[in-house]
């Protein structure tokens, strides 16, 4: 069966510090991968999606970037975090017309 | 991507049937309607998906009229554990992505 991992589960970072969140998928090959951010009490905002290694599409201009160095690995990064980057970050992969979500990373920028 | 509109919140009591309606007026031919459930600090969990008419699984039913501009998620005999946020979204099979709205917070009372 397919499994999606995200780490860390929670993270507290100072403003201006770098960020690296990792997502890996098991049990499937060449998945479409997605990064979402969820602000408190709001829906999910699509940040990036990838259809293959090295292929990244950005949905919203922002302080973040994404990379896909391997088929089942998706990384979300920032060089300098802003207060507004705080939120719940979710990685997802697609199977046909359904998306499966990871457990998420709670990021607090102070 | 088609935008969705749902009620912000709904209250119900244990044992009742709950119907949550979502509007998606600009749905496209290649769009599928999908509903997710999300508990606090967890990733969304797939509930049900449909294209038209009625779909039923072990946890819910999805009713979609012929024009597909709205859909209704029906949860039979809810329990306290069904208290969660429910998201309606339209998944575009061509683009391979979807847009989440702010969801409906369902509160089930004893």
């Amino acid at each position: 069966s397919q499994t999606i991992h995200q780490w860390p589960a929670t993270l507290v970072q100072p403003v201006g510090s770098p960020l690296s969140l990792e997502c890996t998928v098991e049990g499937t090959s060449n998945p479409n991968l997605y990064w979402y951010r969820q602000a408190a009490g709001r829906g999910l905002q699509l940040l990036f999606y990838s259809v293959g290694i090295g292929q990244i599409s950005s949905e919203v201009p922002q302080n973040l970037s994404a990379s896909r160095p391997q088929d089942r690995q998706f990384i979300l990064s920032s060089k300098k975090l802003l207060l507004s980057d705080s939120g719940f970050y979710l990685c997802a992969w697609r199977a046909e017309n359904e998306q499966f979500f990871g457990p998420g990373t709670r990021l607090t920028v102070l | 991507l088609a935008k969705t509109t749902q009620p912000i919140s709904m209250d119900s009591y244990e044992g009742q049937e709950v119907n949550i309606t979502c509007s998606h007026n600009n749905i496209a031919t290649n769009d599928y309607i999908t509903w997710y459930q999300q508990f606090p600090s967890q990733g969304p969990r797939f509930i049900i998906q449909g294209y038209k008419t009625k779909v039923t699984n072990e946890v819910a039913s999805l009713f979609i009229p012929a024009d597909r501009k709205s859909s209704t998620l029906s949860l039979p005999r809810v329990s306290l554990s069904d208290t969660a946020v429910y998201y309606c979204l339209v998944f575009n099979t061509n683009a391979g992505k979807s847009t989440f709205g702010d969801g409906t917070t369902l509160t089930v009372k004893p």
Side-chain angles (χ1 to χ4, degrees), chain A residues 49-104:
Chain A
Y49 75 98
S50 171
V51 298
I53 296 174
Q55 301 179 63
I56 309 295
S57 295
S58 175
E59 291 296 300
V60 181
Q62 60 214 317
N63 184 42
L64 303 169
S65 62
S67 63
R68 186 168 176 176
Q70 300 180 44
D71 181 44
R72 290 170 288 176
Q73 183 185 33
F74 205 20
I75 297 173
L76 183 69
S77 304
S78 174
K79 293 182 179 179
K80 289 185 177 182
L81 283 169
L82 307 172
L83 287 174
S84 58
D85 290 324
S86 292
F88 190 45
Y89 288 82
L90 288 153
C91 180
W93 72 278
R94 173 192 168 193
E96 297 186 356
N97 299 325
E98 182 180 339
Q99 284 182 309
F100 295 91
F101 289 83

Side-chain angles (χ1 to χ4, degrees), chain B residues 47-92:
Chain B
I47 300 174
I48 197 167
Q49 183 182 78
Y51 186 80
K52 61 180 178 181
T53 63
K54 178 183 175 181
V55 180
T56 298
N57 62 22
E58 63 276 9
V59 298
S61 295
L62 178 60
F63 299 91
I64 305 169
D67 66 4
R68 305 202 323 126
K69 295 190 176 190
S70 66
S71 60
T72 300
L73 174 72
S74 180
L75 305 172
R77 298 179 298 280
V78 294
S79 63
L80 294 177
S81 62
D82 292 318
T83 293
V85 179
Y86 291 82
Y87 292 98
C88 158
L89 61 144
V90 173
F91 189 89
N92 185 278

